[in-house]
Amino acid sequence: MNGQAIQLKQTDATVAKAQIRTALEVIHDVRSSNKLRQEASEYLEKVKLDDEAPHHGYTIAADQSQPAVIRHFGLSLLDYAVRHRWNQYTVEQNTLLRDWELDLARNLTEQDPSYIRNKIASIWVDIAKRSWALDWMNMDECLVGLWKGPLASKELVLAILETLSEDVWGHEDPIAGLRSTELSKACLDIFTPMTVLLSLYPSRERNINVRYGEEGWLSRMGDLLEWCISHEGNDEALQAYAVKIMITLRSAIGWAIPQSLSTTRITSRLCQALQSSSLPIQLAAVDTMHVVYNRTKLSKDDFKALIVPMFTHDTVELLQKIYDWSCVDATDIDEEKYLLLKKLSELVFNIGGLLREHPALIPIDSGFNTFLRLLINIAKNKSLQVSICALHTWVKILGSETLVSSLPVTSFVGELLEVCSQRVIKYEALPEDSPDPSVVFLNEDIDTVPERHLFLGNYMRFCKMITERIVQQSPADALYHILGSAEQVISHLYDGEPAFSMHSYSKTSVPFLKMDAQCSILEAGLKGSVRWLTARTDENGVHEQEVMLQNLKVWCERILGLNFEDPSVKERVIQLAVGFATGPLRKDARFAFKIFDYILDTKYPDDPNYPSYSEAVKDLQGLCIHELQRLAMKFSDYLITIFDEVERKVSQVSQAVARDDNVRARYYSVLFIITHRAASVDPQPRQERLETFLQPLVAQWQDSKLTQSLSSFSMFCELLGCGGIQQYVARRALHRIPDWSATPLDEEGKALQLQMQHALERLPLRATKAFLSVSVEKLEPNSTAHQMAGRLWEKMMPMILPNLLAMIKQAHAFHDAANWKDLPPEMSGIVHRMLTDRFWQIGISVGSRDEFYAKVGDTKNTVEGLASSIRATVRAVRETGYKLLCYMGLLGEHFYSYKELPQPLSAALFTDAHALSTHQMAILVETIRPVIENCPVASRSHFLPCILAGLFEQLDRKASDEWDKIEQRTRNSEGRVSLDEEMRDESVLRQLTYTSVMLVVGLLDPNKANPPDPKLANGAAPNGFPHIEHGNIRSFILATQQILKPVILFCTHAIRMRDTRSCSLITRVLGSLVPEFETDGQIDTEVREFLSTEVLKACIISLHDSYFVDLQKDLSQLIASIIIIYAPRTETPRQILLSLPSIPAEQVDQAIQQLYKAHQNPRQQRAIVLDLLESLRGVSISEQGRITKPDRRKMRSAIEESYMMVDMQGDGQIKQESPDLGGVADMFGRP
């Protein structure tokens, strides 16, 4: 097609077809050599570039005598011409291309394979996106003409409509995006019945009409679906056709005008399809209905037309019938029926969720009661993945004030409570081979342990929320039911189970799991009762309250009178009792003291011969102290009145049971809390008394021996009791031992372990944490107790901070192999191995938390156990130090106003932070984050610049280096690292990246409020610091160059870090920053040039990388923003685009002008950018043809995915080698 002569001679076309056929035969012949195959491929690529290629393609594709594979290549020639050369052709040539396409579509036969039909449909849509409603006005008429033809033509029309709908409304298609307004309006025109359009838009323009006929495609497809369902019988062809119709409907229903769905009776026709005996039709119907009822914010009229009919008796009974039929047995799971069951439960969830929008519109005599019965039945299903949808629906219903008080709902609460009390058991603690049907289904549905934990966490959360809301609504009846059931279970914990034995102790025994489940439900019920009590304001219910509280008190005292030999069960009893005291019985201080006394009297014999039992006893002791602290905070005013008695008993218990000074300090912190928070005592005596608690601690921190021990790395090692560890490691040649966990520890190693344990106990860290934490936790800023804590610790902090910061700095330096000078050079790698943490974390670790700790305990007396002891010692120093800084930060100006603090604090935290592992760095970021966010406004200018600059410099260095290592390891494909280890490393690195990005998001949030600062409210600034108003922390950072540079540098590098979640967030952050530097100030100009070069380059490189294919929407939007806002002020964005290969200057300039015009249309902006960078844009591996797209029916639904996220709040891509980015590094060279 050279513009002068369109037609080719027949002989030329014949020769071309023969050559193309020969080339394709060579490629597909397994006997062909690689050289021949390569030559044939090169020839075919050249054919695409020939001016006459479209005509070759048409003549080949139209020749029914040719093999299908040859005809498909002919279609690919047409496809290439449309996609890549459309804008180069004249109007006449484009019209000829369209005519060829129409001819091919009209001559499609039922014998043509599906890939021929799909390719013709694809070309049709590509032409439509470029010319429909522009110069191709009769497309709809052409489609209707095809629709009147044979079955093959109808299938083609369905494929065209589905693809068109997806590209215009569903996908971020760049070509459709260029004409999004015209195409979306045209789609609405041809899909919607004319009667609906006229009723909604009576004054709509009629001079440009792209539709043909009155019906619209929703009506045509609905009519044909109804005919297919009524005639399908056992005709598999009609069944398959009905499925295709529903797939096409599904693509349009999400955006179609709601009134058009009711007018065309789509929902009733889908219900008719549900009654089919064909399982594929039922699945397709449920999927399509899911889209209908996933729509929200419907008008009242649309709600009546679309939602209310789903609550008629007939419809609900149909859903119940389908549910009953699709239930499967755990011992014989029919996959197709089970899939239908799960999809049906999701559909019911969607329908039920819509109830809250207009509950009053549901008629009283409807099938609402029957619908609730269906919800109860689904909730009882043995498959937790089926059940969770119903539980979630109940959470929503019980959260609606209108629905929760209705008679039908209240009649089901008893059954609902029973379901919840039975399902809060920790299924993750049951063995995987358990015959329990719920465990069998769980293993079938969720492959990985981390996802299982997340799912079960959400399942339990729903059970608790339901219980809480039921009790809040009807406390007397609900609590009677819960307390009765719990007492029955607790009284028979060991029925059918062996008696308790230290020897066979397990934290996941059946009796404990029963107890834990009942306590979980009771705790949820107590929360509900507190909500009810708080909301009660009328005096008429006083007697009802008193009766309820007395019953709770009597029940709790009866449980406390029982004897429990299992320390873990005792833990839950104590937690529950404190829940009673601090919850509904919070006004009864005498009862709280009974619980306080009960906890102090709790003693269990510790027997080291039974390690699991011994560990449980230690856990119980820690829990007891924690609960004593909770009670002391809540009831300090009462406990201070009997302080002498409390002090005497606490002292006796601490001396009798405490293992070391740190545990004793935690006991004494209870007395500290009572003194500190008792408002009935004069402040001055309290202050003096509190100082006496802290003076011994301060003396320890000021000890000259401690200061000397922190002055060098070697002395710090001695301080931790591991001074001889390097010599021991070298002497035993641990680097030559492959499996440390299988190598027993000798006596010298055991002595080192004990030495480290005692050394850690002597440090003042934990005791300081005990007192400092209770000084600030759960206190309102500027409250009397908070002010007293500030004055108290303000005196102490200057005496603590120098050695605390030195300790943190040395703990970081401990991870640097360069400091291990006594190790031979060949053993330097052992430091990393020894100090790499073993940790359990939901979403990363395999196995349960208890299994992990059991495994760690089993290796205590091995070389791995010694390494674990070293890690634990240094980790305790490091992380306790972080926590102390966080607690100090909660003291506000008393901490932040020290002029000398920022530089040493930054040096201690960040000088050696590069030596930390990825996991440890993530903990540092997460723990230090509150210190940054709590900084008062008046202290920002002297405190934050040094801290934030140091932090982001280290984050950028660490994250960039670790991602480079991952990339290098992937490219080299070395087998030295196991797949599990590689996946773990990458997962932890993603966590660090995400944690860091979330810090940036928080800091640069334009709506983030400043922390409360009472002195600033009075117009004063602490300690003489001048008050500089910077608005919120975002505006302060943008105005502070020392911080801004490392932050933006980190953000720029984060665009290339291979974590899609983090990259998506960072592109939005940067997008919000672009308008901030539009003016011509010095900082603005410098930052603008950086964003116009480095950030723009990073975006383009990521856009080229197929890993980031799902982020092209975010990346293109950021690119568009930079060009639109900065191109008028600087040539830099244009020069960067001009430096890209294969993009001529006129195309760049045209795109820039188009972006200016589309400044208010983000989708069009993205489309312009993606169109400009089409030759560089990465494509997904399914687009490349390297894998097929997954079967949508086998993919998890969005609802299923949501239940496997933390609090319902790696990407799932197949791991692949890094793409070949050859030439990308040189993209930005001179054109």
Side-chain angles (χ1 to χ4, degrees):
M1 292 174 66
N2 54 19
Q4 296 177 350
I6 290 296
Q7 301 292 334
L8 276 182
K9 293 180 181 179
Q10 185 63 34
T11 53
D12 294 340
T14 304
V15 171
K17 283 194 290 185
Q19 291 174 333
I20 290 170
R21 179 169 183 170
T22 302
L24 287 170
E25 288 173 349
V26 168
I27 290 173
H28 293 287
D29 191 343
V30 295
R31 297 168 297 180
S32 299
S33 67
N34 289 337
K35 183 179 179 181
L36 279 176
R37 191 174 285 114
Q38 184 178 356
E39 290 175 353
S41 298
E42 291 173 354
Y43 168 75
L44 293 178
E45 286 299 314
K46 289 178 181 178
V47 168
K48 290 181 181 179
L49 303 176
D50 190 280
D51 286 344
E52 302 300 336
H55 186 262
H56 289 320
Y58 166 66
T59 56
I60 292 171
D63 187 351
Q64 295 284 348
S65 65
Q66 296 291 334
V69 67
I70 305 292
R71 294 175 61 212
H72 187 270
F73 180 77
L75 290 172
S76 71
L77 294 179
L78 275 177
D79 181 60
Y80 184 88
V82 173
R83 286 174 177 266
H84 300 285
R85 306 184 73 179
W86 182 268
N87 293 333
Q88 301 170 24
Y89 294 148
T90 64
V91 174
E92 293 77 12
Q93 290 172 325
N94 287 334
T95 302
L96 185 58
L97 276 176
R98 190 165 64 229
D99 290 343
W100 287 341
E101 165 65 15
L102 289 171
D103 184 63
L104 291 171
R106 292 179 183 122
N107 289 291
L108 191 70
T109 67
E110 295 187 16
Q111 288 71 41
D112 287 324
S114 59
Y115 60 86
I116 293 289
R117 181 179 64 249
N118 292 339
K119 192 66 173 178
I120 292 175
S122 175
I123 297 171
W124 182 300
V125 173
D126 280 330
I127 293 174
K129 288 185 295 190
R130 290 163 171 84
S131 65
W132 182 38
L134 189 65
D135 56 15
W136 185 13
M137 305 304 294
N138 70 333
M139 186 191 81
D140 196 38
E141 183 179 356
C142 296
L143 288 173
V144 173
L146 289 172
W147 188 254
K148 295 175 181 178
L151 186 62
S153 295
K154 288 184 171 65
E155 289 186 11
L156 175 63
V157 172
L158 291 173
I160 291 170
L161 292 173
E162 180 191 1
T163 307
L164 184 64
S165 172
E166 291 287 356
D167 284 358
V168 173
W169 289 92
H171 300 151
E172 192 75 11
D173 185 85
I175 302 302
L178 292 171
R179 304 180 56 236
S180 57
T181 303
E182 301 98 313
L183 291 176
S184 57
K185 182 179 180 300
C187 281
L188 278 171
D189 269 2
I190 68 170
F191 275 84
T192 309
M194 180 60 78
T195 54
V196 175
L197 287 175
L198 292 176
S199 65
L200 293 176
Y201 312 108
S203 59
R204 64 190 295 269
E205 292 183 31
R206 302 191 184 188
N207 56 332
I208 300 177
N209 192 4
V210 296
R211 66 178 293 128
Y212 181 80
E214 300 292 313
E215 305 97 323
W217 284 106
L218 287 176
S219 180
R220 293 187 189 102
M221 288 189 287
D223 291 343
L224 191 58
L225 174 63
E226 185 174 351
W227 184 86
C228 287
I229 298 300
S230 60
H231 292 81
E232 50 109 356
N234 294 319
D235 190 331
E236 293 185 1
L238 279 181
Q239 293 174 358
Y241 194 59
V243 170
K244 290 173 184 175
I245 296 172
M246 285 186 279
I247 290 173
T248 306
L249 280 170
R250 189 192 313 153
S251 71
I253 281 174
W255 54 262
I257 299 171
Q259 187 178 328
S260 66
L261 301 181
S262 55
T263 301
T264 55
R265 300 187 296 113
I266 292 296
T267 52
S268 63
R269 286 161 163 169
L270 291 173
C271 286
Q272 182 185 354
L274 260 183
Q275 301 177 60
S276 169
S277 59
S278 166
L279 194 51
I281 288 180
Q282 291 177 310
L283 283 167
V286 172
D287 276 340
T288 309
M289 293 176 77
H290 177 85
V291 179
V292 176
Y293 297 105
N294 201 32
R295 299 182 65 151
T296 56
K297 299 180 180 178
L298 296 170
S299 68
K300 288 187 177 181
D301 289 339
D302 292 332
F303 189 91
K304 288 179 181 178
L306 293 176
I307 310 304
V308 171
M310 296 306 294
F311 293 97
T312 62
H313 289 286
D314 290 344
T315 305
V316 178
E317 286 174 2
L318 170 63
L319 295 175
Q320 179 68 62
K321 178 182 175 183
I322 301 298
Y323 169 76
D324 292 338
W325 178 81
S326 60
C327 285
V328 295
D329 192 292
T331 60
D332 183 23
I333 300 176
D334 183 322
E335 289 190 7
E336 292 292 308
K337 287 178 68 176
Y338 185 45
L339 179 63
L340 176 62
L341 177 65
K342 290 189 286 187
K343 288 181 178 293
L344 183 68
S345 71
E346 292 180 8
L347 173 61
V348 171
F349 163 74
N350 281 344
I351 296 171
L354 289 167
L355 275 171
R356 295 192 304 173
E357 290 195 7
H358 303 289
L361 297 180
I362 305 296
I364 297 175
D365 58 347
S366 70
F368 182 47
N369 197 68
T370 314
F371 180 79
L372 294 179
R373 166 54 58 194
L374 172 61
L375 275 180
I376 287 289
N377 292 340
I378 296 175
K380 290 179 178 180
N381 195 282
K382 295 296 184 181
S383 167
L384 301 185
Q385 197 159 65
V386 172
S387 169
I388 195 171
C389 292
L391 292 180
H392 195 178
T393 308
W394 276 110
V395 169
K396 292 187 174 188
I397 291 173
L398 295 171
S400 166
E401 292 184 7
T402 304
L403 293 172
V404 72
S405 57
S406 68
L407 184 60
V409 171
T410 56
S411 63
F412 288 101
V413 295
E415 286 184 83
L416 198 51
L417 283 173
E418 194 67 32
V419 172
C420 292
S421 63
Q422 293 171 357
R423 294 293 176 86
V424 290
I425 193 167
K426 290 184 176 178
Y427 287 98
E428 64 267 36
L430 298 176
E432 285 200 25
D433 59 353
S434 169
D436 187 308
S438 293
V439 176
V440 176
F441 280 119
L442 194 62
N443 294 333
E444 171 73 18
D445 292 326
I446 308 174
D447 297 328
T448 68
V449 173
E451 287 183 328
R452 210 171 295 159
H453 287 159
L454 291 167
F455 172 83
L456 290 172
N458 283 313
Y459 193 94
M460 182 175 286
R461 191 164 66 90
F462 288 147
C463 289
K464 292 178 180 179
M465 289 175 71
I466 289 170
T467 305
E468 181 180 339
R469 291 179 179 180
I470 289 176
V471 173
Q472 181 182 355
Q473 182 64 24
S474 180
D477 293 339
L479 285 174
Y480 177 82
H481 183 282
I482 293 171
L483 295 175
S485 299
E487 187 167 3
Q488 182 69 16
V489 173
I490 293 171
S491 301
H492 299 85
L493 277 181
Y494 286 90
D495 285 7
E497 299 293 329
F500 177 80
S501 168
M502 294 184 189
H503 175 73
S504 58
Y505 171 79
S506 169
K507 288 198 74 169
T508 57
S509 65
V510 171
F512 170 75
L513 294 177
K514 288 181 182 178
M515 186 69 184
D516 178 71
Q518 294 306 311
C519 288
S520 295
I521 285 294
L522 281 164
E523 287 162 347
L526 294 178
K527 284 185 180 180
S529 68
V530 170
R531 287 179 178 272
W532 179 77
L533 289 168
T534 304
R536 297 286 288 196
T537 55
D538 60 306
E539 297 182 0
N540 297 331
V542 172
H543 177 69
E544 184 184 358
Q545 291 181 29
E546 290 177 349
V547 170
M548 185 191 78
L549 295 177
Q550 183 62 28
N551 288 338
L552 288 174
K553 184 176 176 179
V554 169
W555 189 91
C556 184
E557 289 175 339
R558 189 158 61 246
I559 296 302
L560 294 180
L562 300 177
N563 180 44
F564 301 101
E565 297 179 275
D566 188 331
S568 296
V569 171
K570 189 74 166 184
E571 270 192 45
R572 294 301 279 123
V573 171
I574 290 174
Q575 286 176 314
L576 181 62
V578 174
F580 273 87
T582 59
L585 300 173
R586 61 190 181 280
K587 294 183 179 180
D588 191 340
R590 292 181 180 276
F591 176 75
F593 180 65
K594 285 184 181 180
I595 306 299
F596 191 93
D597 203 45
Y598 176 84
I599 296 173
L600 285 173
D601 288 337
T602 296
K603 298 179 181 68
Y604 275 68
D606 189 0
D607 193 337
N609 294 317
Y610 305 108
S612 297
Y613 173 80
S614 177
E615 193 64 34
V617 171
K618 292 183 176 67
D619 290 343
L620 173 61
Q621 186 185 66
L623 184 278
C624 286
I625 297 174
H626 175 72
E627 298 300 338
L628 287 171
Q629 291 174 337
R630 285 182 63 197
L631 291 170
M633 289 179 184
K634 283 281 187 182
F635 302 98
S636 55
D637 283 325
Y638 175 78
L639 294 173
I640 199 71
T641 63
I642 52 172
F643 187 79
D644 292 341
E645 179 185 349
V646 172
E647 183 179 30
R648 183 172 58 255
K649 187 153 189 179
V650 169
S651 299
Q652 290 173 354
V653 171
S654 68
Q655 294 299 323
V657 303
R659 303 183 303 275
D660 54 57
D661 289 342
N662 288 310
V663 177
R664 276 188 285 275
R666 291 190 65 199
Y667 274 107
Y668 283 115
S669 71
V670 176
L671 302 176
F672 181 94
I673 294 169
I674 297 170
T675 307
H676 178 215
R677 309 211 180 190
S680 57
V681 180
D682 291 339
Q684 189 59 37
R686 284 160 59 199
Q687 184 97 14
E688 294 171 358
R689 173 76 181 186
L690 293 173
E691 288 180 4
T692 63
F693 282 104
L694 301 183
Q695 285 166 358
L697 274 179
V698 174
Q700 282 184 274
W701 281 107
Q702 289 191 296
D703 190 339
S704 58
K705 292 181 179 178
L706 177 63
T707 305
Q708 182 66 24
S709 297
L710 295 170
S711 61
S712 70
F713 180 75
S714 59
M715 295 186 72
F716 175 71
C717 292
E718 294 290 343
L719 177 68
L720 297 190
C722 53
I725 196 68
Q726 297 185 57
Q727 293 79 5
Y728 178 81
V729 168
R731 190 163 54 252
R732 287 209 59 184
L734 296 187
H735 63 298
R736 296 176 183 165
I737 300 176
D739 188 358
W740 285 357
S741 59
T743 306
L745 197 60
D746 57 18
E747 292 303 317
E748 182 183 0
K750 293 177 181 178
L752 278 170
Q753 278 183 320
L754 193 60
Q755 189 175 306
M756 285 185 284
Q757 179 184 337
H758 292 158
L760 186 60
E761 290 170 356
R762 288 193 295 269
L763 294 177
L765 281 166
R766 289 176 176 170
T768 307
K769 178 186 173 186
F771 284 102
L772 187 52
S773 63
V774 299
S775 299
V776 294
E777 284 183 344
K778 299 181 180 179
L779 283 180
E780 289 294 325
N782 207 34
S783 63
T784 302
H786 187 268
Q787 290 176 340
M788 180 177 290
R791 292 192 299 270
L792 177 68
W793 286 99
E794 189 173 22
K795 299 177 183 178
M796 310 298 176
M797 284 189 292
M799 296 179 273
I800 294 173
L801 277 168
N803 280 341
L804 173 61
L805 297 182
M807 204 175 285
I808 294 173
K809 190 175 187 306
Q810 293 290 7
H812 286 184
F814 196 89
H815 292 266
D816 191 344
N819 293 320
W820 292 54
K821 300 184 184 300
D822 293 338
L823 284 181
E826 66 272 12
M827 293 186 68
S828 61
I830 205 173
V831 177
H832 174 75
R833 179 181 176 187
M834 185 176 294
L835 298 181
T836 299
D837 283 330
R838 291 186 295 176
F839 61 91
W840 187 92
Q841 186 163 353
I842 192 166
I844 295 177
S845 305
V846 176
S848 68
R849 186 193 300 267
D850 293 335
E851 289 171 344
F852 169 78
Y853 284 114
K855 185 177 179 180
V856 171
D858 291 341
T859 62
K860 182 177 180 180
N861 294 320
T862 66
V863 172
E864 180 57 44
L866 174 63
S868 182
S869 297
I870 297 170
R871 291 193 295 269
T873 302
V874 181
R875 181 171 60 248
V877 172
R878 190 179 64 245
E879 294 183 9
T880 307
Y882 299 162
K883 290 300 293 181
L884 290 178
L885 293 173
C886 285
Y887 292 136
M888 290 178 182
L890 292 174
L891 295 169
E893 65 182 62
H894 303 285
F895 171 70
Y896 291 99
S897 60
Y898 289 121
K899 292 182 180 180
E900 300 81 7
L901 178 60
Q903 190 62 46
L905 177 59
S906 179
L909 291 173
F910 309 126
T911 299
D912 297 295
H914 65 277
L916 298 176
S917 71
T918 308
H919 174 62
Q920 292 156 358
M921 186 66 129
I923 292 173
L924 170 61
V925 175
E926 197 61 48
T927 316
I928 294 301
R929 179 176 178 171
V931 177
I932 297 167
E933 294 180 339
N934 290 330
C935 179
V937 174
S939 299
R940 283 176 183 163
S941 58
H942 90 279
F943 184 83
L944 287 183
C946 188
I947 303 299
L948 286 175
L951 172 60
F952 278 99
E953 286 167 4
Q954 290 300 322
L955 278 180
D956 189 30
R957 174 182 177 182
K958 185 69 180 180
S960 297
D961 287 350
E962 293 300 323
W963 279 113
D964 286 345
K965 290 177 184 176
I966 293 283
E967 290 290 305
Q968 186 67 35
R969 190 164 66 192
T970 304
R971 279 196 296 268
N972 293 342
S973 301
E974 296 174 357
R976 293 195 297 267
V977 180
S978 69
L979 181 59
D980 285 346
E981 186 177 347
E982 185 177 346
M983 292 176 67
R984 183 203 65 203
D985 291 349
E986 195 166 331
S987 182
V988 176
L989 180 53
R990 282 201 174 93
Q991 184 186 4
L992 169 63
T993 307
Y994 183 68
T995 301
S996 306
V997 166
M998 287 306 297
L999 174 61
V1000 175
V1001 171
L1003 292 174
L1004 297 179
D1005 180 1
N1007 300 315
K1008 190 177 184 69
N1010 289 324
D1013 195 332
K1015 287 207 172 184
L1016 283 181
N1018 298 327
N1023 293 351
F1025 282 105
H1027 171 47
I1028 303 175
E1029 180 57 57
H1030 284 295
N1032 64 4
I1033 195 168
R1034 171 189 169 99
S1035 56
F1036 171 75
I1037 290 173
L1038 298 185
T1040 308
Q1041 199 166 5
Q1042 183 183 352
I1043 305 173
L1044 184 60
K1045 284 186 175 182
V1047 169
I1048 289 187
L1049 190 61
F1050 168 78
C1051 292
T1052 304
H1053 294 157
I1055 294 174
R1056 294 290 301 127
M1057 295 175 188
R1058 299 170 77 80
D1059 178 55
T1060 52
R1061 183 174 56 166
S1062 299
C1063 183
S1064 177
L1065 286 170
I1066 217 67
T1067 54
R1068 296 175 198 177
V1069 169
L1070 286 167
S1072 77
L1073 295 184
V1074 171
E1076 300 281 354
F1077 303 99
E1078 193 174 358
T1079 59
D1080 295 323
Q1082 183 178 352
I1083 295 180
D1084 292 350
T1085 302
E1086 187 176 344
V1087 174
R1088 183 166 63 238
E1089 288 301 311
F1090 184 86
L1091 293 174
S1092 299
T1093 52
E1094 301 308 318
V1095 173
L1096 188 55
K1097 287 180 181 180
C1099 288
I1100 293 171
I1101 293 175
S1102 289
L1103 198 70
H1104 178 78
D1105 189 338
S1106 60
Y1107 179 89
F1108 296 99
V1109 68
D1110 292 332
L1111 294 178
Q1112 290 183 359
K1113 176 180 178 180
D1114 297 319
L1115 293 165
S1116 59
Q1117 187 63 66
L1118 179 53
I1119 293 171
S1121 298
I1122 292 173
I1123 296 172
I1124 292 170
I1125 296 175
Y1126 291 166
R1129 285 177 164 73
T1130 173
E1131 274 286 301
T1132 306
R1134 180 176 181 272
Q1135 292 302 320
I1136 294 296
L1137 294 174
L1138 289 175
S1139 70
L1140 297 170
S1142 306
I1143 303 180
E1146 58 272 16
Q1147 191 175 346
V1148 170
D1149 292 335
Q1150 182 184 11
I1152 292 175
Q1153 293 305 314
Q1154 289 174 334
L1155 284 170
Y1156 291 158
K1157 294 177 182 177
H1159 67 281
Q1160 292 185 333
N1161 189 330
R1163 184 182 178 185
Q1164 205 164 24
Q1165 293 169 19
R1166 297 191 294 269
I1168 293 166
V1169 170
L1170 291 174
D1171 184 49
L1172 175 66
L1173 302 177
E1174 175 66 24
S1175 61
L1176 304 175
R1177 184 172 64 89
V1179 295
S1180 66
I1181 51 180
S1182 61
E1183 285 183 89
Q1184 296 170 17
R1186 290 163 56 186
I1187 64 168
T1188 57
K1189 290 185 179 180
D1191 184 349
R1192 291 176 62 175
R1193 296 186 306 165
K1194 303 297 183 183
M1195 294 171 66
R1196 282 183 184 150
S1197 68
I1199 295 177
E1200 287 177 319
E1201 290 289 352
S1202 72
Y1203 293 137
M1204 295 173 206
M1205 300 176 73
V1206 178
D1207 290 336
M1208 299 287 298
Q1209 310 285 301
D1211 50 59
Q1213 295 192 51
I1214 296 175
K1215 192 177 189 313
Q1216 54 178 308
E1217 293 184 358
S1218 300
D1220 180 8
L1221 299 183
V1224 179
D1226 299 323
M1227 267 188 189
F1228 305 101
R1230 295 187 179 183

